[in-house]
Short mmCIF file of all heavy atoms in Angstrom, two decimals:
data_model
loop_
_atom_site.label_atom_id
_atom_site.label_comp_id
_atom_site.label_asym_id
_atom_site.label_seq_id
_atom_site.Cartn_x
_atom_site.Cartn_y
_atom_site.Cartn_z
N THR A 90 -4.66 -27.80 155.77
CA THR A 90 -4.69 -28.47 154.32
C THR A 90 -3.42 -28.19 153.69
O THR A 90 -2.74 -27.19 153.81
CB THR A 90 -5.94 -28.17 153.52
OG1 THR A 90 -5.90 -26.82 153.15
CG2 THR A 90 -7.24 -28.44 154.37
N PRO A 91 -3.09 -29.01 152.58
CA PRO A 91 -1.87 -28.59 151.71
C PRO A 91 -2.08 -27.19 151.20
O PRO A 91 -3.22 -26.72 150.90
CB PRO A 91 -1.97 -29.58 150.60
CG PRO A 91 -2.52 -30.87 151.35
CD PRO A 91 -3.67 -30.17 152.38
N LEU A 104 -10.50 -33.87 143.99
CA LEU A 104 -9.92 -33.64 145.29
C LEU A 104 -10.02 -32.40 145.85
O LEU A 104 -10.25 -32.03 147.08
CB LEU A 104 -8.40 -34.06 145.21
CG LEU A 104 -7.56 -33.89 146.38
CD1 LEU A 104 -7.91 -34.86 147.55
CD2 LEU A 104 -6.05 -34.05 146.10
N GLU A 107 -13.28 -32.07 147.51
CA GLU A 107 -13.22 -32.76 148.91
C GLU A 107 -12.67 -31.70 149.82
O GLU A 107 -12.99 -31.62 151.05
CB GLU A 107 -12.41 -34.06 148.82
CG GLU A 107 -13.20 -35.18 148.04
CD GLU A 107 -12.41 -36.37 148.20
OE1 GLU A 107 -12.45 -37.08 149.26
OE2 GLU A 107 -11.69 -36.79 147.09
N ILE A 108 -11.46 -31.16 149.53
CA ILE A 108 -10.78 -30.19 150.41
C ILE A 108 -11.78 -29.07 150.73
O ILE A 108 -11.86 -28.52 151.84
CB ILE A 108 -9.35 -29.63 149.74
CG1 ILE A 108 -8.48 -30.81 149.70
CG2 ILE A 108 -8.91 -28.49 150.61
CD1 ILE A 108 -7.98 -31.30 151.10
N GLY A 109 -12.37 -28.53 149.69
CA GLY A 109 -13.39 -27.49 149.89
C GLY A 109 -14.53 -27.85 150.81
O GLY A 109 -14.92 -27.11 151.75
N ASP A 110 -14.96 -29.12 150.64
CA ASP A 110 -16.09 -29.63 151.53
C ASP A 110 -15.40 -29.68 153.04
O ASP A 110 -16.12 -29.35 154.06
CB ASP A 110 -16.41 -31.01 151.11
CG ASP A 110 -17.33 -31.67 152.04
OD1 ASP A 110 -18.50 -31.29 152.00
OD2 ASP A 110 -16.87 -32.73 152.93
N LEU A 111 -14.29 -30.06 153.21
CA LEU A 111 -13.64 -30.12 154.41
C LEU A 111 -13.42 -28.62 155.15
O LEU A 111 -13.89 -28.49 156.36
CB LEU A 111 -12.19 -30.73 154.41
CG LEU A 111 -11.29 -30.56 155.79
CD1 LEU A 111 -11.94 -31.21 156.92
CD2 LEU A 111 -10.01 -31.38 155.42
N LEU A 112 -13.10 -27.64 154.31
CA LEU A 112 -12.89 -26.32 154.85
C LEU A 112 -14.34 -25.68 155.15
O LEU A 112 -14.42 -24.88 155.98
CB LEU A 112 -12.15 -25.50 153.81
CG LEU A 112 -10.70 -25.96 153.81
CD1 LEU A 112 -9.90 -25.09 152.70
CD2 LEU A 112 -10.05 -25.80 155.15
N ASP A 325 -10.29 -35.04 163.57
CA ASP A 325 -11.04 -36.18 162.98
C ASP A 325 -9.99 -37.16 162.19
O ASP A 325 -9.40 -36.68 161.20
CB ASP A 325 -12.19 -35.63 162.04
CG ASP A 325 -13.00 -36.77 161.54
OD1 ASP A 325 -12.66 -37.97 161.56
OD2 ASP A 325 -14.21 -36.42 161.41
N PRO A 326 -9.92 -38.42 162.48
CA PRO A 326 -9.05 -39.22 161.64
C PRO A 326 -9.45 -39.29 160.30
O PRO A 326 -8.57 -39.45 159.33
CB PRO A 326 -9.17 -40.63 162.41
CG PRO A 326 -9.84 -40.44 163.71
CD PRO A 326 -10.57 -39.17 163.57
N VAL A 327 -10.72 -39.19 159.88
CA VAL A 327 -11.12 -39.26 158.55
C VAL A 327 -10.53 -38.05 157.80
O VAL A 327 -10.12 -38.10 156.65
CB VAL A 327 -12.65 -39.24 158.37
CG1 VAL A 327 -13.09 -39.16 157.01
CG2 VAL A 327 -13.13 -40.61 158.95
N GLU A 328 -10.58 -36.90 158.45
CA GLU A 328 -10.18 -35.56 157.87
C GLU A 328 -8.58 -35.66 157.78
O GLU A 328 -7.98 -35.12 156.82
CB GLU A 328 -10.59 -34.50 158.61
CG GLU A 328 -12.12 -34.31 158.59
CD GLU A 328 -12.67 -33.20 159.49
OE1 GLU A 328 -11.91 -32.58 160.22
OE2 GLU A 328 -13.85 -32.95 159.42
N ARG A 329 -7.98 -36.27 158.74
CA ARG A 329 -6.48 -36.40 158.65
C ARG A 329 -6.15 -37.27 157.40
O ARG A 329 -5.21 -36.88 156.71
CB ARG A 329 -5.91 -37.05 160.02
CG ARG A 329 -5.63 -35.87 161.03
CD ARG A 329 -4.81 -36.54 162.09
NE ARG A 329 -4.39 -35.48 163.02
CZ ARG A 329 -3.36 -34.72 162.99
NH1 ARG A 329 -2.56 -34.86 161.82
NH2 ARG A 329 -3.09 -33.82 163.84
N ALA A 330 -6.87 -38.34 157.22
CA ALA A 330 -6.61 -39.18 156.11
C ALA A 330 -6.86 -38.43 154.87
O ALA A 330 -5.97 -38.62 153.85
CB ALA A 330 -7.60 -40.38 156.18
N LEU A 331 -7.76 -37.53 154.74
CA LEU A 331 -8.09 -36.77 153.47
C LEU A 331 -6.73 -35.85 153.27
O LEU A 331 -6.37 -35.72 152.27
CB LEU A 331 -9.29 -35.92 153.57
CG LEU A 331 -9.55 -34.89 152.48
CD1 LEU A 331 -9.50 -35.50 151.11
CD2 LEU A 331 -10.86 -34.19 152.78
N THR A 332 -6.47 -35.09 154.38
CA THR A 332 -5.33 -34.14 154.15
C THR A 332 -3.99 -34.91 153.77
O THR A 332 -3.22 -34.52 153.01
CB THR A 332 -5.11 -33.22 155.33
OG1 THR A 332 -4.89 -34.04 156.47
CG2 THR A 332 -6.17 -32.46 155.55
N ARG A 333 -3.91 -36.01 154.21
CA ARG A 333 -2.69 -36.90 153.97
C ARG A 333 -2.83 -37.44 152.48
O ARG A 333 -1.76 -37.35 151.79
CB ARG A 333 -2.67 -38.04 154.88
CG ARG A 333 -1.47 -39.13 154.71
CD ARG A 333 -1.40 -39.97 155.92
NE ARG A 333 -0.49 -41.06 155.79
CZ ARG A 333 -0.15 -41.83 156.73
NH1 ARG A 333 -0.80 -41.59 158.00
NH2 ARG A 333 0.72 -42.80 156.72
N ARG A 334 -3.93 -37.77 152.09
CA ARG A 334 -4.21 -38.26 150.69
C ARG A 334 -3.91 -37.08 149.76
O ARG A 334 -3.30 -37.16 148.76
CB ARG A 334 -5.61 -38.78 150.62
CG ARG A 334 -5.97 -39.23 149.21
CD ARG A 334 -7.13 -40.14 149.12
NE ARG A 334 -8.24 -39.65 149.87
CZ ARG A 334 -9.17 -39.01 149.27
NH1 ARG A 334 -9.18 -38.56 148.12
NH2 ARG A 334 -10.21 -38.62 150.13
N ALA A 335 -4.36 -35.95 150.15
CA ALA A 335 -4.10 -34.66 149.36
C ALA A 335 -2.64 -34.32 149.22
O ALA A 335 -2.22 -33.95 148.17
CB ALA A 335 -4.92 -33.49 149.77
N ALA A 336 -1.99 -34.56 150.38
CA ALA A 336 -0.46 -34.20 150.33
C ALA A 336 0.16 -35.22 149.33
O ALA A 336 1.21 -34.80 148.69
CB ALA A 336 0.05 -34.39 151.72
N VAL A 337 -0.13 -36.55 149.45
CA VAL A 337 0.37 -37.53 148.52
C VAL A 337 0.10 -37.19 147.04
O VAL A 337 0.98 -37.29 146.24
CB VAL A 337 -0.03 -38.86 148.92
CG1 VAL A 337 0.32 -39.84 147.81
CG2 VAL A 337 0.46 -39.44 150.22
N GLU A 671 -0.30 -32.99 157.43
CA GLU A 671 0.05 -34.44 157.08
C GLU A 671 1.25 -34.59 156.25
O GLU A 671 1.66 -35.69 155.70
CB GLU A 671 -1.11 -35.27 156.69
CG GLU A 671 -2.14 -35.41 157.56
CD GLU A 671 -1.77 -36.16 158.90
OE1 GLU A 671 -1.28 -37.28 158.81
OE2 GLU A 671 -1.99 -35.62 159.90
#
Side-chain angles (χ1 to χ4, degrees):
T90 65
L104 176 65
E107 292 184 75
I108 293 295
D110 177 74
L111 169 57
L112 292 178
D325 185 334
V327 174
E328 295 173 354
R329 276 196 173 272
L331 170 59
T332 58
R333 182 168 173 172
R334 177 160 53 88
V337 169
E671 295 298 303

